[in-house]
Amino acid sequence: LRLLPQQRYLRTDRAEVSALERKRNVLCCLITRILKVEKQLHVDNLVFRVIDACQKGRLGPGVQFLSFCCHSVDVLSCVLHLLNQGYLRRQEGRPHVLEY
C-alpha cells in the first residue's frame, strides 16, 4: 500500500542532481543580483525578469551564462528558499513586493 507518490529526485543519478543544483544556484544568483540593483520589486516583475535573463543567457553587460529553460515555479521556489534563508524580505503591508 502506497500513500505517497515516489519522489523523482530520489531516483536520479548524480549528474542530474548536480545539474538541478547548478540551475537552482544560478536562479538564486539572478534573483539576488536583480534585487540588489532594484532594491524592491513586485514578485511578478521579478519572475518575468529572471525568466527573460535565463532565456537570453545574460543579465546586462558583462554577465553572461549558458541559457537554459526555467519556469515561474522554479523561480518562485528559489524566491521562497531565499526568503527562508533571510536574504530577501517582504514589504510590510505589501507582501507581493520583495526587498533585498
Side-chain angles (χ1 to χ4, degrees):
L1 180 65
R2 290 215 157 161
L3 298 177
L4 298 175
Q6 288 186 353
Q7 298 295 322
R8 190 181 131 228
Y9 67 88
L10 294 176
R11 294 178 292 168
T12 59
D13 62 2
R14 291 192 187 275
E16 289 179 26
V17 171
S18 178
L20 289 172
E21 287 176 355
R22 281 194 307 269
K23 181 178 178 179
R24 187 178 110 187
N25 289 339
V26 169
L27 289 175
C28 288
C29 288
L30 286 172
I31 291 167
T32 55
R33 187 171 178 98
I34 290 169
L35 281 175
K36 277 184 179 180
V37 171
E38 297 293 329
K39 305 298 183 214
Q40 63 182 13
L41 202 57
H42 191 282
V43 68
D44 293 341
N45 291 337
L46 178 63
V47 169
F48 173 76
R49 290 189 55 185
V50 171
I51 290 173
D52 187 54
C54 290
Q55 290 172 347
K56 292 179 180 176
R58 67 176 197 266
L59 181 67
V63 181
Q64 290 186 308
F65 53 91
L66 291 175
S67 65
F68 60 91
C69 179
C70 76
H71 302 283
S72 59
V73 174
D74 301 326
V75 178
L76 290 171
S77 173
C78 289
V79 165
L80 287 175
H81 174 73
L82 291 170
L83 281 167
N84 288 332
Q85 296 293 319
Y87 292 108
L88 305 180
R89 65 180 173 182
R90 298 174 189 253
Q91 266 191 359
E92 190 134 344
R94 297 174 59 197
H96 52 276
V97 176
L98 301 172
E99 296 177 334
Y100 178 75

